[in-house]
Amino acid sequence: MSALTARTPFSVLDRSRTREGHPPGEALRDTVRFAREAERLGYHRFWVSEHHGVPGVAGSAPTVLAAAAAGATRTIRIGTGGVMLPNHRSLVVAEQFGVLESLFPGRIDMGLGRSVGFTDGVRRALGRDKDDADRFEEQLAELLGWFEGTSATGAHARPAEGLTVPPFVLAMGEGAAVAARAGLPMVIGDLRDRDRMRRGIDRYRDTFRPSRWAREPYVVVSGTIAVGATPEAARRLLLPEAWSMAHSRTHGTFPPLPPAERVEARTMTAKERGFYEAGLTGHLAGTEEQVAGELETLLRETGAQEVLVTTSTYDRAALYDSFRRLARIVGQPVRDGAEHVPGLPETAVGGAALR
């Protein structure tokens, strides 16, 4: 374990991936159980995502799911990665996070993205179109205004007004520039395209404007990290997600995760095989020793202040084992037992972190 890794907080983003042979509701319950496990392992944040009309993802209402995760835990920060702001009215988003912060004071994060629906049908159902993403910066400013009490409407967001819920911008494409101009922390991925990631980080740091929300740039790098007893065991964790991504690229639908053995037995077309193999590359995967070295390189290359781990796989026991091994890599002792003590001091894997 290096000093750099030891002082870097590690967090978790769970996308509530559905699995073949398991109902969507189970994926949501898995997410809440995962939040408890992440807290036990000492991770700093646990975030949930927003997807609509996607067979492979159960998490369609992130603030509702965040409330369930927060209610099941005691010390870990809970948030969204993220709420897709163009899909919603900013007043409603402010009210939802105001309620969360009021119920779980000092533990809520507000991760915000600019994506609009997954398909044309979903966008029509939401009453949105692709161009709504172009208003993200305006919507972001409007949302923050509800917390600051500066809305030009003269209305007030209750109970959000006056509360401080740390906002983060999910930086894809223009997101880095938006985060910099707004003076907000930025979450950027993925690890498979390091050059693009570094360009986004450099652009963000070069143009960052301090704000009441962040005095200096704060970069969270996000991606898949799989740790196993052997390199082969770590690689098997990646197979279900790689196949689902390949299927979505070739068939237009994002399916539930299949077991790794079913993926290995599949006959793929050349096009499917190409997407599948591409989906297996670029992640941090291997034994504890191997991943420790790769993490050191990643942190030195990016200068990131935090790492958000997004690993998904079919085998829940193997997934938990991977996160336990990662916690050991970064020097976080696992808490004994499954019970949580109210008032237990907040900890972050690797050390101190942004609130």
Side-chain angles (χ1 to χ4, degrees):
M1 177 184 60
S2 71
L4 178 58
T5 304
R7 65 174 178 262
T8 301
F10 282 71
S11 299
V12 180
L13 168 63
D14 186 59
R15 291 180 294 137
S16 304
R17 292 287 276 115
T18 58
R19 297 180 291 158
E20 287 185 359
H22 298 264
E26 185 174 336
L28 298 175
R29 292 187 290 273
D30 283 343
T31 290
V32 175
R33 283 190 286 266
F34 195 4
R36 292 196 193 104
E37 180 69 2
E39 178 175 76
R40 191 179 73 84
L41 293 173
Y43 286 91
H44 182 51
R45 311 180 199 276
F46 185 89
W47 283 6
V48 297
S49 65
E50 174 182 343
H51 294 273
H52 299 282
V54 181
V57 183
S60 57
T63 53
V64 176
L65 187 53
T73 55
R74 294 293 181 270
T75 60
I76 192 170
R77 295 195 64 85
I78 301 291
T80 57
V83 165
M84 298 299 116
L85 198 51
N87 290 338
H88 309 281
R89 294 288 187 182
S90 64
L91 170 61
V92 176
V93 175
E95 289 171 337
Q96 290 172 346
F97 279 99
V99 169
L100 283 170
E101 177 64 20
S102 298
L103 291 172
F104 308 102
R107 293 181 56 211
I108 302 300
D109 298 322
M110 185 168 59
L112 305 163
R114 65 189 294 271
S115 296
V116 187
F118 187 69
T119 64
D120 289 338
V122 168
R123 287 189 288 271
R124 285 196 300 272
L126 291 170
R128 300 291 187 267
D129 58 44
K130 289 183 179 180
D131 293 340
D132 285 314
D134 297 335
R135 294 187 55 247
F136 175 66
E137 188 165 9
E138 175 188 340
Q139 293 168 321
L140 180 62
E142 183 181 344
L143 172 62
L144 298 181
W146 289 115
F147 287 92
E148 296 164 341
T150 58
S151 172
T153 65
H156 299 271
R158 308 294 188 198
E161 188 173 310
L163 297 180
T164 299
V165 181
F168 296 73
V169 172
L170 309 190
M172 294 294 180
E174 292 300 312
V178 171
R181 286 192 292 267
L184 299 180
M186 176 186 72
V187 182
I188 189 167
D190 62 50
L191 302 180
R192 292 174 296 178
D193 192 342
R194 300 289 180 85
D195 289 339
R196 182 185 179 192
M197 176 185 283
R198 283 192 294 267
R199 289 194 300 270
I201 292 172
D202 290 343
R203 187 183 315 119
Y204 167 71
R205 289 193 173 120
D206 290 344
T207 59
F208 182 86
R209 301 173 184 172
S211 73
R212 63 157 289 197
W213 302 98
R215 292 186 297 273
E216 57 189 26
Y218 190 90
V219 174
V220 182
V221 294
S222 176
T224 295
I225 303 176
V227 192
T230 65
E232 294 75 23
R235 186 178 185 276
R236 287 193 96 238
L237 287 168
L238 306 177
L239 302 187
E241 186 75 24
W243 165 248
S244 291
M245 290 296 296
H247 188 276
S248 71
R249 295 289 185 86
T250 52
H251 295 80
T253 60
F254 196 59
L257 295 173
E261 55 269 22
R262 287 196 56 193
V263 176
E264 292 170 322
R266 287 185 185 272
T267 300
M268 302 183 195
T269 66
K271 189 174 183 180
E272 287 171 338
R273 177 66 63 179
F275 283 124
Y276 173 68
E277 294 295 343
L280 292 172
T281 62
H283 306 294
L284 273 61
T287 63
E288 292 175 39
E289 183 178 359
Q290 290 171 327
V291 170
E294 292 185 34
L295 280 173
E296 174 81 9
T297 299
L298 172 69
L299 293 171
R300 291 196 181 282
E301 286 180 351
T302 62
Q305 283 91 350
E306 186 173 337
V307 178
L308 181 67
V309 187
T310 63
T311 309
S312 298
T313 196
Y314 181 92
D315 187 334
R316 301 298 294 184
L319 179 69
Y320 283 12
D321 181 67
S322 177
F323 275 90
R324 283 192 289 270
R325 291 175 183 275
L326 177 60
R328 286 203 295 265
I329 290 171
V330 299
Q332 178 63 39
V334 176
R335 296 173 186 163
D336 292 331
E339 295 300 317
H340 305 282
V341 181
L344 192 67
E346 180 177 311
T347 59
V349 171
L354 182 75
R355 177 177 181 271

